[in-house]
Amino acid sequence: MTIGYVNPAETLDQQGITGLDTVYYNLLEPALIQEALQRNEGILGQGGALLVTTGKHTGRSPNDKFVVRTPLVEDTIWWENNSPMDPKAFDQLHSDMLEHMKGGEYFVQDLYGGADPAHRLDVRLVTELAWHGLFIRHMLRRPDMEELARFVPEYTIINCPSFQADPKRHGCRSETVIALNFDRKLILIGGTAYAGENKKSVFTLLNYILPGKDVMAMHCSANHAIGKPEETAVFFGLSGTGKTTLSADPGRVLIGDDEHGWSDTGIFNFEGGCYAKTINLNPEAEPEIYATTSKFGTVIENMVHDPHSFALDFTDDSLTANMRCAYPLHYISNASEKALGGHPKNIIMLTCDAFGVLPPIARLTPAQAMYHFLSGFTSKVAGTERGVTEPEPTFSTCFGAPFMPRRPEAYGNLLRDKIAHHDATCWLVNTGWTGGAYGTGSRMPIRATRALLTAALDGSLQDATFRRDPNFGFDVPVSVDGVADLLLDPRRTWDRPDSYDRQAGRLVQMFVDNFAQYIPYIDDDVKAAAIS
């Protein structure tokens, strides 16, 4: 039996997915919420938000992600970063998963990955959880009725949280598996209810496909000046660096908060929504994101709440520190309807330096930008993970190594070429610690960060006087209106400058040690920009 808002041109039966009891095609948000509630997948929270938990997996399972090794992709996949799966093992996994699905009820959502029609990907998600259908409707772009009626998926994702993989039988590591087969244009996900695997699988697809078309795929947020899409900025950054917060500037138009492409015509969002962390979400600092947590249809993932009022507790991380909300982009008042922008005028690379070494902002040359892009630095702080007692460096190349199927240089060279061609200015922004490392110093004031970003984006920062940083070689402004001069020189914020020097030396060496892996693959100008 099929139930649908719009039945597509190609059904699951035509794809060889047969023997199911009921298939729900392209249900809209109210129907998906109703189905989720009837199945006890979640509860209705304040404002009509859907409150769900994801079981033992409260984040992605990167060690359980595989790429099927076939001749088509053999020479283009970064195998040191992507675990291979034998095609025969994948075929067995696929066969066993289809058998597992027989007699079950499944939800299908047909969506677009990419706001630019010239580069979008037609994606079908098949899942046993109604709330996963709601989640992915927020995350991807939603076709209209006419587009749905003729929709034929290019790639299909089958997600069965109740399916348990067998490592010996399926060539994987555990009962959890995420397997990408570029030949068969198929992704299989089993053994996890964490919805982020759906979103990041599409991102991984686009990260492989688009560079082959000379389109840069980026783990970044983006916005542009009001009424001036040609004044676009992109914000690279790992989780916790402020990528979502800083791009949601009420004085600018939000293009998107996480995943974008850069084509010959400019920037386009891959997604139709946002997936924001909610731990310690502040209604004063982030009022619009906070407001989405009590709006109809927002998916609230792994948040503790009052059992009577269903009020959310934004400080209780007993389920996970990775608690999140997923909502459509139009829930942000200044969001772009088309999710398109011009070529970036400014490129911001965000880092949260818990060592207290980096300045709050620095200007980068194109070669330095590639160096920091390939480095992808941020840091963990004590208390965020068991066993972490002092700041630890995190280097995630291209600010998103888990989602990069190609070698880092493929993305780095493409970014450098586009920066040069479009004369973009690059900045490194530290949202981490000042006046000492974590535990001694204090977090960089967000007002100062916003003031520095405003000066960078409106062009006034270019007229500042700069000094050359002795540790990293980039240019640091000496004085900026609205920001204390002391803050711009991190060495002066420490009680003991000699302690700062030792800490800076440690961090420089961490960069050097990490970057050694890229030296054989990069050009001489980037080698010259590298710290030595």
Side-chain angles (χ1 to χ4, degrees):
M1 181 173 65
T2 64
I3 299 173
Y5 168 63
V6 176
N7 292 333
E10 182 171 286
T11 65
L12 293 189
D13 282 344
Q14 292 170 289
Q15 289 185 270
I17 305 174
T18 60
L20 306 184
D21 182 347
T22 305
V23 179
Y24 299 85
Y25 285 103
N26 298 307
L27 296 187
L28 300 184
E29 289 81 356
L32 287 167
I33 291 174
Q34 184 177 29
E35 295 293 340
L37 295 175
Q38 288 177 348
R39 288 164 170 75
N40 295 316
E41 294 177 8
I43 60 175
L44 201 62
Q46 294 188 358
L50 184 66
L51 280 54
V52 300
T53 55
T54 61
K56 69 175 183 178
H57 291 284
T58 58
R60 292 180 298 100
S61 301
N63 294 330
D64 294 307
K65 185 176 179 180
F66 298 85
V67 174
V68 179
R69 194 165 200 156
T70 66
L72 178 69
V73 300
E74 174 66 41
D75 297 330
T76 50
I77 295 293
W78 181 22
W79 294 112
E80 294 86 349
N81 188 59
N82 293 270
S83 299
M85 176 178 281
D86 185 270
K88 292 182 179 178
F90 179 88
D91 291 345
Q92 187 65 62
L93 175 66
H94 185 212
S95 176
D96 290 349
M97 189 172 285
L98 292 183
E99 187 63 29
H100 172 85
M101 294 168 66
K102 290 187 185 301
E105 296 186 340
Y106 281 81
F107 296 86
V108 174
Q109 286 290 322
D110 293 325
L111 301 157
Y112 297 138
D116 185 345
H119 300 294
R120 73 189 182 196
L121 194 67
D122 297 355
V123 179
R124 167 170 288 174
L125 175 70
V126 183
T127 180
E128 61 190 0
L129 294 175
W131 79 264
H132 273 205
L134 178 64
F135 172 89
I136 206 66
R137 273 191 67 78
H138 294 337
M139 287 297 99
L140 297 185
R141 311 288 300 178
R142 297 163 288 279
D144 59 31
M145 288 183 65
E146 291 184 0
E147 291 171 321
L148 280 175
R150 59 177 184 269
F151 191 96
V152 175
E154 185 175 358
Y155 277 83
T156 297
I157 302 170
I158 301 176
N159 189 327
C160 296
S162 66
F163 177 84
Q164 303 290 299
D166 181 343
K168 291 183 179 179
R169 185 175 175 86
H170 301 131
C172 52
R173 189 186 68 94
S174 71
E175 72 280 358
T176 299
V177 65
I178 303 99
L180 290 76
N181 191 320
F182 288 101
D183 282 33
R184 298 185 60 179
K185 298 187 175 181
L186 182 62
I187 299 175
L188 305 177
I189 303 174
T192 173
Y194 180 66
E197 297 289 9
N198 301 307
K199 161 189 159 76
K200 290 305 184 184
S201 291
V202 178
F203 187 34
T204 303
L205 286 178
L206 290 166
N207 276 345
Y208 182 77
I209 294 167
L210 292 180
K213 301 166 64 176
D214 204 34
V215 176
M216 180 66 187
M218 303 178 292
H219 186 212
C220 70
S221 56
N223 63 25
H224 68 72
I226 296 174
K228 297 179 179 179
E230 70 277 8
E231 293 188 14
T232 292
V234 299
F235 300 75
F236 289 101
L238 298 168
S239 179
T241 58
K243 182 161 51 70
T244 297
T245 299
L246 294 172
S247 61
D249 184 337
R252 293 174 66 85
V253 176
L254 178 67
I255 300 172
D257 83 321
D258 198 42
E259 300 167 4
H260 294 80
W262 185 356
S263 71
D264 289 340
T265 57
I267 295 295
F268 62 97
N269 193 352
F270 289 169
E271 301 182 301
C274 302
Y275 191 34
K277 289 186 110 175
T278 55
I279 186 166
N280 297 322
L281 190 62
N282 189 312
E284 295 181 1
E286 301 164 285
E288 293 222 66
I289 298 174
Y290 186 91
T292 68
T293 62
S294 58
K295 287 190 175 184
F296 179 78
T298 293
V299 176
I300 304 294
E301 199 176 65
N302 296 320
M303 286 193 70
V304 174
H305 57 271
D306 184 276
H308 304 293
S309 68
F310 299 133
L312 301 173
D313 189 332
F314 293 88
T315 62
D316 190 337
D317 62 356
S318 57
L319 291 177
T320 176
N322 190 39
M323 51 196 191
R324 292 178 179 264
C325 62
Y327 51 89
L329 199 60
H330 65 259
Y331 278 7
I332 302 297
S333 62
N334 63 328
S336 167
E337 183 178 344
K338 294 183 178 179
L340 302 172
H343 296 291
K345 191 173 181 179
N346 288 278
I347 293 174
I348 314 297
M349 297 186 184
L350 299 167
T351 182
C352 177
D353 173 26
F355 295 90
V357 170
L358 295 175
I361 196 166
R363 186 174 59 190
L364 307 175
T365 66
Q368 288 172 336
M370 185 173 178
Y371 175 84
H372 284 277
F373 179 69
L374 291 177
S375 296
F377 167 73
T378 191
S379 48
K380 300 175 185 176
V381 297
T384 60
E385 291 186 13
R386 183 178 299 175
V388 179
T389 57
E390 61 179 17
E392 288 186 1
T394 296
F395 292 96
S396 185
T397 189
C398 308
F399 295 97
F403 325 118
M404 302 298 162
R406 295 178 182 267
R407 277 206 58 86
E409 309 83 52
Y411 307 100
N413 289 329
L414 192 53
L415 180 65
R416 186 181 60 173
D417 291 346
K418 289 188 176 294
I419 289 172
H421 185 71
H422 299 287
D423 195 28
T425 302
C426 301
W427 307 90
L428 181 71
V429 172
N430 174 25
T431 61
W433 270 256
T434 183
Y438 175 85
T440 302
S442 58
R443 192 74 189 258
M444 198 72 69
I446 191 167
R447 288 185 180 180
T449 300
R450 289 194 183 278
L452 291 168
L453 280 174
T454 297
L457 299 184
D458 68 18
S460 61
L461 191 55
Q462 291 281 28
D463 298 328
T465 299
F466 289 82
R467 65 176 177 85
R468 188 175 186 274
D469 183 87
N471 298 302
F472 289 86
F474 40 51
D475 291 336
V476 180
V478 174
S479 180
V480 179
D481 287 345
V483 180
D485 291 353
L486 180 69
L487 194 67
L488 295 168
D489 187 350
R491 189 173 188 269
R492 291 172 57 199
T493 67
W494 283 53
D495 290 338
R496 296 184 56 184
D498 59 327
S499 297
Y500 170 85
D501 292 337
R502 286 193 295 273
Q503 185 84 316
R506 289 179 60 210
L507 185 59
V508 166
Q509 191 60 47
M510 293 173 191
F511 269 83
V512 170
D513 293 344
N514 172 74
F515 202 77
Q517 62 186 303
Y518 305 119
I519 294 297
Y521 306 101
I522 60 174
D523 295 336
D524 289 341
D525 60 338
V526 181
K527 290 179 182 177
I531 305 163
S532 59

